[in-house]
Amino acid sequence: MADKTLFEKIMVGDIPADIMYEDEYCVVIKDAVPQAPTHLLIIPRKPISMLAKADLDDKELLGHLLTVANDMAKKTGIDEAFRVVINNGAGAGQTVFHLHLHLLGNKKFVENNLSF
Ligand code: AMP
């Protein structure tokens, strides 16, 4: 069997993390190296390696992750201005190969600049 991903290890408690929310389908943690004052990771329990590997069966799960991003933006008070980022593949900056959404806020975002 394949080794557990870093995020699976966090989800089973093998590696500590600041868990902000969890439900049957996903876990939300604080990013260990925040790129903005608010930087959360929304991680599905299902270990999909990257967005491109999700299939039609994952449609509801993907919708759920965005709904949770929205809820967490409200809960953390950044719902007026936030950014949701998914890095897909090493060439796009993905370093942990377990799908996750970055939720970023409390930062001045530059128009037309999609970097963190
Ligand atoms: P990506 O580069 O899109 O794959 O994002 C991976 C993210 O995981 C990065 O923003 C890292 O800072 C974050 N990260 C790595 N290790 C940990 C950890 N142990 N706890 C929380 N976040 C982590």
Side-chain angles (χ1 to χ4, degrees):
M1 215 168 104
D3 285 346
K4 281 194 196 117
T5 66
L6 169 70
F7 292 154
E8 283 177 284
K9 289 178 188 163
I10 285 175
M11 285 186 278
V12 298
D14 287 351
I15 292 179
D18 271 332
I19 296 179
M20 303 287 289
Y21 171 81
E22 58 186 314
D23 64 25
E24 194 181 342
Y25 303 106
C26 71
V27 174
V28 179
I29 64 170
K30 285 190 184 171
D31 197 292
V33 188
Q35 305 295 315
T38 301
H39 186 172
L40 304 181
L41 301 173
I42 298 138
I43 308 163
R45 291 192 187 277
K46 182 176 177 183
I48 301 166
S49 63
M50 60 179 79
L51 182 60
K53 300 291 184 191
D55 60 30
L56 212 50
D57 289 347
D58 299 315
K59 197 162 80 170
E60 276 187 37
L61 175 61
L62 296 178
H64 181 71
L65 299 177
L66 277 178
T67 302
V68 169
N70 220 7
D71 290 346
M72 293 308 299
K74 287 195 188 96
K75 270 187 201 159
T76 57
I78 60 167
D79 48 316
E80 283 294 311
F82 62 91
R83 189 168 278 180
V84 175
V85 175
I86 298 175
N87 295 323
N88 186 91
Q94 185 175 6
T95 57
V96 179
F97 288 83
H98 181 140
L99 175 64
H100 51 284
L101 280 59
H102 295 260
L103 172 66
L104 302 130
N106 270 324
K107 164 178 169 157
K108 176 110 185 74
F109 294 106
V110 179
E111 279 175 42
N112 299 321
N113 179 345
L114 291 178
S115 68
F116 280 172

